[in-house]
Amino acid sequence: QVQLLESGGGLVQAGGSLRLSCAASRRTFSSYNMGWFRQAPGKEREFVAAVTWSGHTNYADSVRGRFTMSRDDAKNTVYLQMNSLKPEDTAVYYCAHQDAGTPTWNYWGQGTQVTVSS
């Protein structure tokens, strides 16, 4: 079992920045990918960003150029730096874990609320 704990959410004005963190409870011994997802009220959960075990990143079109995901394996932590925030970025943000080479995000955090005011 891997427990994921997100932090760093909050209320920010449009154009501002936030950095989310996601700490894993233990180091997994196999290669793994990490991702960020978000869910706004009344909408389905959507992909935001991911980083592979080798450090390759991928972003949703809606956040590319504004958000940056990174990982620090020594701290078992991933980050999501969010700049130029927009009201439409308001959502609960979740981090997730995926064993490399598998299609399933098998562990999820509890989520952290990000609210962007206009």
Side-chain angles (χ1 to χ4, degrees):
Q1 282 283 349
V2 177
Q3 293 183 329
L4 304 175
L5 182 63
E6 302 100 333
S7 61
L11 174 64
V12 64
Q13 289 188 334
S17 298
L18 283 174
R19 189 177 82 153
L20 305 183
S21 300
C22 174
S25 60
R26 67 171 179 83
R27 179 67 183 275
T28 57
F29 294 99
S30 59
S31 298
Y32 61 97
N33 307 322
M34 295 295 293
W36 286 98
F37 294 76
R38 67 187 181 186
Q39 187 167 20
K43 296 186 176 181
E44 294 188 352
R45 186 167 55 193
E46 65 176 1
F47 169 80
V48 175
V51 60
T52 69
W53 64 274
S54 61
H56 176 76
T57 53
N58 188 30
Y59 299 94
D61 289 342
S62 59
V63 307
R64 187 175 291 111
R66 299 187 298 122
F67 290 10
T68 302
M69 185 173 182
S70 60
R71 62 190 293 163
D72 185 339
D73 288 347
K75 296 182 178 180
N76 300 339
T77 300
V78 294
Y79 305 95
L80 185 68
Q81 178 66 44
M82 306 186 294
N83 298 329
S84 302
L85 283 161
K86 305 175 181 180
E88 51 264 43
D89 294 319
T90 295
V92 177
Y93 283 70
Y94 300 90
C95 71
H97 167 290
Q98 179 188 59
D99 290 322
T102 66
T104 303
W105 296 92
N106 52 353
Y107 298 108
W108 293 82
Q110 85 291 344
T112 185
Q113 176 70 48
V114 171
T115 303
V116 184
S117 63
S118 57

